[in-house]
Amino acid sequence: MYSVTGYGSMMADRVRMDAYAKALQDTVKPGSIVVDLGTGTGICAFLACQLGAKRVYAIEPDPIIELAKILAADNGLSELIEFIPQFSTQVTLPEKADVLVSDLRGILPLFRQHIPSLIDARTRFLAPDGVLIPQQDRIWGCLVHAPKLYQQYQAPWGDNRYGLNFTKGNRWAMNRLYKCTVQPEQCVVSPQWVTTLDYGTIEDANLRGELSWESEETTTVHGLVLWFESQLTEGVSFSNAPGEPDLIYGKAFLPWERPVGLEKRDRVTITLKANLVHNHYIWQWHIQVWRNHQLIETLRQSTFYSHLSIPEQ
């Protein structure tokens, strides 16, 4: 799923790793049974062993699990960890876990089979009084003024230096979800909560949210940015909101097919959907802009237009 470099970057993300280490410290006790779902290089499994876990089941279908085995041996932990090179939905464990730890997110928690896998693991692997790490993720959104970010994806399709017409590529480029970094000053409205993914109760892998803002200034909007804040355990959390330290996840940019100028007191409404289809999410963002109670702009966008034909970044 990730490159070795990608796994290394996850371990090097100190904000993320320090939060996971603290959450494990708060939940893993001597004698605990732990499941590390998507163990990767095994770092959470190793930390659980250091905290006194009796047994850790480290589940990982990616070949990186072979490196995790080597690292476990190098740290004298092989006898405490059972490495399982399969998808978790295909695994049966001989005992229930006291702690189930995972990080199967991408840019957002809505990523491939993250939620279905977690629901299955919670149901089959976790003891009735067991603890999930993370407990929940809350997704937030904001409209942004980001001309340089926007031009990165839009400009190539309007370049006619060679007398060729590529303008229809703009629709493909604008109907995608991109990883980005934005600063607080690029947010032209206050952030709004989209949804909370409560992993102790969640049953639906899909998302639907309604967002609405009244513009406080005259500006130009280039798209919608989404991020999440995670509560790993009580009192242990992190956020990748604009202005917070950059994390490995980045933020998600849903560009608009064309920039939209807003005047003060214009109202923007967005219907946001993300539906899991096979192993990928299809995102839809439907935008309406109202001025003096008159509809002045409508955009209906979806990653469906480009998802099946253009590889993901």
Side-chain angles (χ1 to χ4, degrees), residues 7-35:
Y7 282 109
S9 297
M10 292 177 205
M11 292 193 298
D13 186 333
R14 292 294 300 273
V15 173
R16 169 186 176 271
M17 281 309 311
D18 286 354
Y20 267 90
K22 180 61 168 64
L24 288 166
Q25 183 180 5
D26 290 347
T27 55
V28 177
K29 310 300 180 187
S32 290
I33 304 299
V34 178
V35 171

Side-chain angles (χ1 to χ4, degrees), residues 185-235:
E185 57 268 23
Q186 294 177 273
C187 297
V188 300
V189 291
S190 297
Q192 279 195 17
W193 169 83
V194 179
T195 192
T196 296
L197 306 175
D198 187 330
Y199 296 121
T201 60
I202 193 170
E203 296 291 347
D204 187 357
N206 301 321
L207 172 149
R208 179 184 173 92
E210 301 287 343
L211 302 170
S212 178
W213 289 277
E214 183 174 288
S215 177
E216 299 177 1
E217 59 181 306
T218 298
T219 188
T220 300
V221 175
H222 294 92
L224 174 69
V225 167
L226 302 172
W227 63 88
F228 70 95
E229 56 185 25
S230 182
Q231 179 179 311
L232 299 185
T233 56
E234 189 67 33

Side-chain angles (χ1 to χ4, degrees), residues 268 306 309:
V268 180
S306 58
S309 301

Side-chain angles (χ1 to χ4, degrees), residues 247-259:
L247 301 179
I248 186 68
Y249 313 99
K251 284 163 270 293
F253 179 51
L254 294 173
W256 292 3
E257 285 191 355
R258 53 186 175 272

Side-chain angles (χ1 to χ4, degrees), residues 5 7 14 24 30 36 59 93 100 136 138 155 166 173 185 219 274 311:
T5 302
Y7 282 109
R14 292 294 300 273
L24 288 166
D36 185 5
I59 304 172
L93 298 180
L100 171 60
Q136 63 176 227
R138 293 177 292 277
F166 287 94
E185 57 268 23
T219 188

Side-chain angles (χ1 to χ4, degrees), residues 145-167:
H145 174 76
K148 289 184 179 180
L149 175 64
Y150 190 84
Q151 285 297 307
Q152 179 180 344
Y153 303 113
Q154 188 271 339
W157 310 105
D159 186 346
N160 293 310
R161 287 181 300 167
Y162 306 111
L164 300 171
N165 184 350
F166 287 94
T167 55

Side-chain angles (χ1 to χ4, degrees), residues 32-35 93 95-100 120-132 200:
S32 290
I33 304 299
V34 178
V35 171
L93 298 180
E95 56 190 332
K96 296 289 187 179
D98 302 297
V99 178
L100 171 60
D120 174 76
R122 179 193 72 200
T123 302
R124 297 193 301 114
F125 299 160
L126 194 62
D129 57 349
V131 177
L132 281 169

